[in-house]
Amino acid sequence: MSSDQDHLKETNTEDRFAFKNEHKAAVTAEKGLNEETIRLMSEDKDEPDWMLERRLRALEVFQEMPMPTDWPAMPDLSEVDINKIVPYIRPDVELREGTDDWENLPDEIKDTFDKLGIPEAEKEALSGVGAQYESEVVYQNMKEQWEEKGVIFMNMDRAVQEHPEIVKEYFMTSCVPPSDNKFAALHGAVWSGGSFVYVPEDVQVEMPVQAYFRMNSEGMGQFEHTLIVAEPGSEVHYIEGCSAPKYSHFNLHSGGVEVFVKEDAHVQYSTVQNWSRSTYNLNTKRAIVEKNGTMEWISGSMGSKATMLYPSSILKGRGATDNHITIAFAGEGQDIDTGAKVYHNAPNTKSTIESKSIAKDGGRTNYRGLVQIADGAENSSTAVECDALMFDNESTSDTMPYMEIEESKVNVAHEATVGKIGDEDIFYLQSRGLDDDDAKQMIVSGFIEPITEELPIEYAVELNRLIELEMEGSLG
């Protein structure tokens, strides 16, 4: 076992995520959202005029669009009042563009990421690391061997300054425009931080790159933007981690992700989100996949009061492939609404969606998905499998699959199962020497194994430990 794995095994996971630090901010915006706030953010970042104009247009769209309220059985968002959210907090660090040396960070911020295990993971398991604290990236590093091949991995604010032509072309234009939904518009107006990944043609980045996003302050919103461009024949695995401590007032996370998978390219996007029970997690993630390209989404979502997360892919080119694997965990007072959307817009495209959900203590999970196969997308195929596991009679799990099939020459399959941990299963494992809690944990570990086996070992260990803590009611 590597030193990273030893570290993850020995660290108290509960302490790593539940703590909060006191840190002085350099700039803190007023609560709420208006043009003055947008201009303050843009000026503080020294942004070019074109980005300020995009922010202001997104603000107009946000103000015009109503809150979503008409989705069947959607999570209750009545508490989400943007006027009570602080949209921008810039931590007080010496280097605005971020540092590539952990020792250059203030002690309290460095301590945060030390507890989360990020520096240790970087040493052996990753090609590059970005770490965001509040609204800005404070650490960014890419191994020299990939920089020499032209791979770019930097924070989005820096990319706006150093690679404006690429950002202008791809940032919230064709993939996730502000008009997509109200929270995409909010994101377009107040986005801050996030990752920019560019992989040149035929370059395969053999080790993952990771970004970690940490909300530390009460009542804030975090709106990081991730933009990945994988040129033809390239390959990259991007891992995203997120967490926040619990507070008495709600926090809002509304990130945005845009992925462009060019011909014969391969992108894997893995995320393990462990928000607190005072956080609303409302993201928009989408990929555009060209001819023979492959997009893989692997998502683990838990901890938040409410989550609405449906990564989507537009299969634009012949032979494009999309694979979704999701896991959701809901405990007491939690409503985790997740799923996937796939649009088959070309012939010979293929998609698979595998969803696993776990509910206990009255929590609710829901799979909400859409598969659309356009007229002319002949010889395409899709397979959707939804499995739910419940611990008690108070918990609920719903499945809402939507299929819009406009082409006759296709293969479509859907399967859904709902199960409850049975007394006979527990009794059998107890007869083999396990106590009640260990028996339940073993059943859950087997249930989610198809997902954890797709992650690097360090993150599979972490995901299993987080779910174990959720089962114990220790987090958030």
Side-chain angles (χ1 to χ4, degrees):
M1 182 176 288
S2 72
S3 60
D4 285 345
Q5 294 167 42
D6 288 334
H7 174 80
L8 286 171
K9 183 177 180 180
E10 294 170 4
T11 299
N12 185 321
T13 308
E14 180 182 350
D15 289 345
R16 287 172 58 198
F17 292 102
F19 71 93
K20 58 195 76 168
N21 279 338
E22 295 297 327
H23 177 70
K24 180 182 178 182
V27 175
T28 301
E30 297 292 329
K31 290 182 179 180
L33 182 60
N34 52 45
E35 183 174 331
E36 182 180 352
T37 299
I38 303 301
R39 291 186 178 278
L40 178 148
M41 289 179 60
S42 188
E43 181 179 356
D44 188 56
K45 294 173 177 292
D46 194 26
E47 289 181 339
D49 290 342
W50 61 266
M51 180 53 76
L52 173 60
E53 291 170 2
R54 292 193 184 188
R55 289 184 182 276
L56 293 175
R57 286 200 300 269
L59 175 62
E60 291 178 1
V61 174
F62 172 78
Q63 292 172 334
E64 293 170 357
M65 297 182 76
M67 282 285 287
T69 57
D70 57 348
W71 289 22
M74 67 176 289
D76 181 8
L77 302 181
S78 59
E79 186 184 17
V80 180
D81 184 351
I82 304 304
N83 292 322
K84 296 180 180 179
I85 282 289
V86 178
Y88 180 63
I89 299 177
R90 173 162 65 84
D92 189 7
V93 293
E94 185 175 346
L95 299 173
R96 286 297 306 274
E97 68 275 11
T99 180
D100 60 2
D101 186 342
W102 292 105
E103 298 303 321
N104 291 336
L105 293 176
D107 289 343
E108 61 272 25
I109 294 182
K110 181 178 179 295
D111 178 62
T112 294
F113 290 107
D114 280 342
K115 287 180 178 178
L116 293 168
I118 308 304
E120 285 77 13
E122 179 185 16
K123 292 176 184 176
E124 294 183 10
L126 302 169
S127 292
V129 166
Q132 179 161 333
Y133 190 89
E134 312 294 34
S135 297
E136 292 208 349
V137 173
V138 295
Y139 176 88
Q140 192 89 39
N141 190 36
M142 186 76 185
K143 290 189 175 179
E144 187 175 343
Q145 69 187 95
W146 303 116
E147 290 182 340
E148 291 175 351
K149 293 184 178 182
V151 177
I152 303 171
F153 179 46
M154 62 175 56
N155 70 69
M156 273 301 303
D157 293 298
R158 183 179 168 193
V160 169
Q161 305 289 347
E162 298 186 13
H163 302 281
E165 295 308 313
I166 300 177
V167 178
K168 275 185 182 180
E169 179 179 357
Y170 293 106
F171 182 88
M172 300 195 77
T173 52
S174 59
C175 195
V176 182
S179 58
D180 187 80
N181 64 77
K182 189 173 181 68
F183 290 101
L186 171 65
H187 175 87
V190 294
W191 76 271
S192 184
S195 300
F196 174 73
V197 181
Y198 177 84
V199 187
E201 186 171 354
D202 294 327
V203 173
Q204 285 85 42
V205 183
E206 297 165 0
M207 299 170 67
V209 296
Q210 183 194 27
Y212 200 96
F213 303 103
R214 175 72 176 182
M215 269 196 295
N216 187 69
S217 296
E218 183 173 16
M220 77 163 292
Q222 191 173 69
F223 307 95
E224 81 284 348
H225 191 90
T226 299
L227 175 59
I228 300 174
V229 180
E231 294 288 9
S234 66
E235 184 172 345
V236 67
H237 181 187
Y238 179 90
I239 297 176
E240 170 191 81
C242 312
S243 67
K246 182 181 179 181
Y247 288 104
S248 57
H249 298 288
F250 80 95
N251 283 34
L252 174 63
H253 177 255
S254 186
V257 175
E258 300 181 288
V259 184
F260 293 85
V261 185
K262 302 299 183 69
E263 184 174 346
D264 295 313
H266 183 180
V267 176
Q268 180 174 327
Y269 194 107
S270 302
T271 179
V272 179
Q273 298 188 342
N274 177 42
W275 300 111
S276 70
R277 280 176 167 80
S278 56
T279 301
Y280 287 84
N281 183 29
L282 311 171
N283 292 331
T284 305
K285 300 183 176 185
R286 184 170 297 135
I288 295 178
V289 189
E290 297 187 6
K291 181 180 178 181
N292 295 326
T294 299
M295 180 68 204
E296 295 184 80
W297 299 95
I298 302 176
S299 304
S301 183
M302 63 199 74
S304 63
K305 183 171 185 177
T307 285
M308 297 178 70
L309 176 61
Y310 323 99
S312 63
S313 291
I314 300 172
L315 304 183
K316 180 181 177 182
R318 178 183 292 270
T321 299
D322 177 73
N323 300 315
H324 285 261
I325 300 177
T326 67
I327 181 168
F329 189 104
E332 182 181 2
Q334 294 177 301
D335 193 341
I336 310 299
D337 202 283
T338 59
K341 299 179 182 180
V342 186
Y343 302 88
H344 293 254
N345 291 346
N348 301 99
T349 50
K350 179 182 179 181
S351 67
T352 62
I353 300 172
E354 183 177 3
S355 172
K356 301 276 188 178
S357 63
I358 304 165
K360 70 182 290 284
D361 297 334
R364 175 182 180 267
T365 62
N366 180 41
Y367 168 81
R368 191 186 303 268
L370 169 66
V371 175
Q372 183 183 85
I373 302 181
D375 183 22
E378 60 183 18
N379 300 320
S380 294
S381 65
T382 184
V384 180
E385 180 180 348
C386 303
D387 300 318
L389 185 64
M390 292 184 291
F391 277 73
D392 48 61
N393 294 327
E394 291 73 36
S395 301
T396 59
S397 178
D398 298 315
T399 302
M400 299 181 181
Y402 296 87
M403 300 277 191
E404 299 178 2
I405 313 300
E406 301 174 1
E407 170 60 50
S408 59
K409 297 179 180 179
V410 296
N411 291 318
V412 178
H414 178 263
E415 177 184 347
T417 63
V418 178
K420 183 181 176 183
I421 293 182
D423 293 338
E424 64 278 8
D425 299 321
I426 301 298
F427 178 78
Y428 173 79
L429 292 173
Q430 287 178 328
S431 71
R432 296 297 185 269
L434 298 179
D435 62 23
D436 184 75
D437 289 340
D438 288 341
K440 290 179 179 177
Q441 179 61 34
M442 179 172 286
I443 292 171
V444 170
S445 294
F447 180 71
I448 67 171
E449 185 178 2
I451 287 146
T452 57
E453 67 184 7
E454 297 293 330
L455 288 169
I457 184 63
E458 294 84 359
Y459 303 95
V461 170
E462 191 72 355
L463 181 58
N464 272 306
R465 180 60 182 146
L466 287 171
I467 289 175
E468 181 181 344
L469 287 169
E470 286 284 357
M471 290 172 60
E472 296 171 358
S474 300
L475 288 176

